Amino acid sequence: MKFSSKVEKCGLSPMRKFHPYAVAAKARGVNIYHLNIGQPDVQTPPAFFAAVKAFEPPVLAYAPSPGIPELIEAIRQYYAKLDMHFSSDEIYVTTGGSEALSITLQCILDDGDEILIPEPFYPNYTTMTYTCGADIRPIPTTPEEGYRYADREKIESQINEHTRAILITNPGNPTGVILSHEEMEMLVDIAVKHDLFLIGDEAYREFVYGGQKLQSFGEFVDKAPENIIIIDTVSKRFSACGARVGCLISKNKEFMNHAMKYCQTRLSVATLDQTACAALYSVGPEYFAAVRDEYKKRRDTLCRKLREIPGVVFDVPGGAFYLMAALPVDDADKFQQWLLEEFDDNGETVMFAPGGSMYATPGKGKNEVRMAYVIESHKLERAMEILKKAIEVYNAR
């Protein structure tokens, strides 16, 4: 049987491909500290579940393809409070931020096209790009430079006749890098100058530390209304990953008209999930303040413990809830498999996401990992103690 060359070019998710080994380890009685998947453990606001319980229509019907009006209006008001103003027809509800990204790339990429993405990047970008017949041209970074990429010369040197867009995750996944207002403005200038789409994946917007201001490329839509596309989601913001509700936002009418073709093809996002997510937007700022404080505490714990491990290279992340680090091991994939199959410390081990598949440059990221600090601080402390011992044992084999 023949399969698509596009899908055969894709790989498995580095966050999930070790799942069978984890299942086997758990069956042996091993406790695993999961730093591999960005699944928050903070409480989903009760408003979500209250809305589910109150949902009693006589028929569970299709929702409108753009989204239910109540949710679109809630999203519109959320942005208005941040002094970013969109009309309801500039917002489409999607099945998570992932579908918003997938629809966007399907609308703008053709066979042979390229999209610029700072590496390391969220690895599902690779599958989304490859299935469009396009390729990722990476904006290179290094652990030693803190994975920072916002340099005009570095970015413009990667642009060629095949470039169609720049995709930025801000705050960054997997690095936690955040852009300054000036760096964001520079990226907008580049997009306008070279007639490119600028896609802002802003799933982690609420999670910035050290008094940083919440930012969005939506601040620049008046300057670049045809260029800017915003990807958003309730998954991380409200700790509601299982709801699978996101949105696609743009003032580019032609782009939105094309995106609607995909929205109509998949008919609609789940009606019940949309209704419950509309209630999430009633949550006040105190919720986000408390969650930010908790993640900052965890970040600081993780960084403190990593500094105790010789040979680890990392920078303190400014946002999101991820940290990218280079470990003193030969191969992070092999190390992770060994951790699950051959190693435990008093019946416990740890999982992370190996970094190789978060790069488009062959050979890069081989000894790097992404850690999601989505478990409590005392568990992070224990996980890093296990990691320190594991590195010593692994390298002494």
Side-chain angles (χ1 to χ4, degrees):
M1 303 292 286
K2 184 182 184 300
F3 293 93
S4 161
S5 60
K6 294 175 181 177
V7 77
E8 287 188 331
K9 192 176 178 181
C10 303
L12 294 172
S13 166
M15 285 82 78
R16 299 178 184 271
K17 70 179 181 179
F18 289 99
H19 176 71
Y21 302 104
V23 170
K26 289 176 182 177
R28 299 194 308 271
V30 177
N31 178 53
I32 300 173
Y33 290 94
H34 285 277
L35 310 181
N36 55 311
I37 295 180
Q39 169 60 65
D41 66 344
V42 299
Q43 183 182 359
T44 306
F48 180 93
F49 303 104
V52 171
K53 291 175 182 176
F55 186 80
E56 294 182 348
V59 175
L60 183 58
Y62 286 122
S65 291
I68 64 170
E70 297 89 339
L71 178 54
I72 291 174
E73 178 59 18
I75 295 168
R76 192 192 67 77
Q77 290 186 18
Y78 165 83
Y79 278 91
K81 290 175 183 176
L82 296 175
D83 199 25
M84 290 172 258
H85 304 282
F86 298 96
S87 60
S88 58
D89 60 353
E90 293 168 343
I91 301 169
Y92 293 163
V93 177
T94 58
T95 306
S98 296
E99 188 187 48
L101 280 161
S102 182
I103 289 173
T104 296
L105 299 191
Q106 291 286 345
C107 286
I108 68 176
L109 295 178
D110 252 329
D111 289 353
D113 286 345
E114 293 182 352
I115 182 168
L116 298 186
I117 309 178
E119 61 178 4
F121 47 76
Y122 176 54
N124 284 348
Y125 292 163
T126 305
T127 300
M128 294 175 186
T129 302
Y130 285 174
T131 52
C132 294
D135 282 304
I136 293 172
R137 180 171 287 268
I139 302 169
T141 69
T142 66
E144 291 76 15
E145 296 172 331
Y147 300 103
R148 300 206 66 84
Y149 56 87
D151 177 272
R152 180 182 286 271
E153 183 177 348
K154 178 186 286 190
I155 295 168
E156 289 194 308
S157 69
Q158 303 299 319
I159 296 172
N160 60 41
E161 68 274 17
H162 302 293
T163 310
R164 297 292 173 263
I166 305 172
L167 172 53
I168 301 296
T169 320
N170 186 42
N173 173 11
T175 63
V177 168
I178 56 174
L179 297 169
S180 68
H181 183 86
E182 293 72 24
E183 289 171 333
M184 294 174 74
E185 189 169 33
M186 177 267 291
L187 285 160
V188 173
D189 287 341
I190 290 174
V192 172
K193 175 183 174 182
H194 295 276
D195 196 26
L196 303 175
F197 288 103
L198 179 59
I199 306 163
D201 182 352
E202 300 179 354
Y204 304 93
R205 183 188 304 127
E206 296 286 345
F207 307 126
V208 291
Y209 314 115
Q212 295 280 346
K213 176 181 176 291
L214 301 190
Q215 297 183 109
S216 170
F217 281 108
E219 299 169 45
F220 303 95
V221 290
D222 291 339
K223 182 176 183 179
E226 300 301 302
N227 307 81
I228 292 174
I229 299 169
I230 299 169
I231 309 297
D232 206 344
T233 175
V234 305
S235 294
K236 315 299 183 179
R237 177 171 301 135
F238 298 105
S239 193
C241 296
R244 308 311 308 133
V245 171
C247 64
L248 176 60
I249 304 174
S250 179
K251 288 186 175 291
N252 185 317
K253 295 188 183 302
E254 186 176 7
F255 165 74
M256 294 298 276
N257 286 339
H258 287 309
M260 179 50 62
K261 299 172 186 177
Y262 290 94
C263 292
Q264 291 179 346
T265 298
R266 58 87 162 114
L267 304 182
S268 68
V269 176
T271 305
L272 175 55
D273 281 11
Q274 289 192 69
T275 301
C277 286
L280 285 175
Y281 282 90
S282 65
V283 171
E286 65 281 356
Y287 171 80
F288 300 115
V291 174
R292 271 194 294 274
D293 287 346
E294 175 62 21
Y295 281 135
K296 183 180 182 299
K297 176 184 174 184
R298 296 178 183 188
R299 180 201 67 173
D300 293 346
T301 298
L302 181 60
C303 291
R304 173 173 53 81
K305 296 298 290 184
L306 277 174
R307 291 190 187 101
E308 298 174 4
I309 305 177
V312 175
V313 179
F314 73 97
D315 197 19
V316 178
F321 40 68
Y322 304 107
L323 182 148
M324 195 80 177
L327 301 183
V329 298
D330 59 344
D331 187 307
D333 273 86
K334 292 178 181 177
F335 181 50
Q336 177 64 92
Q337 188 166 341
W338 176 83
L339 279 166
L340 293 171
E341 289 191 314
E342 302 181 41
F343 177 84
D344 71 84
D345 182 43
N346 293 320
E348 296 186 313
T349 192
V350 64
M351 284 185 75
F352 44 70
S357 58
M358 301 180 191
Y359 284 86
T361 303
K364 287 195 72 174
K366 190 174 182 180
N367 70 326
E368 295 174 39
V369 300
R370 186 195 77 171
M371 302 181 192
Y373 42 98
V374 291
I375 59 176
E376 295 169 293
S377 291
H378 71 278
K379 294 179 180 178
L380 285 169
E381 292 216 14
R382 173 62 180 145
M384 291 304 98
E385 290 168 1
I386 294 169
L387 179 63
K388 181 179 181 180
K389 184 173 182 179
I391 290 172
E392 293 171 355
V393 175
Y394 181 81
N395 288 332
R397 293 174 308 155

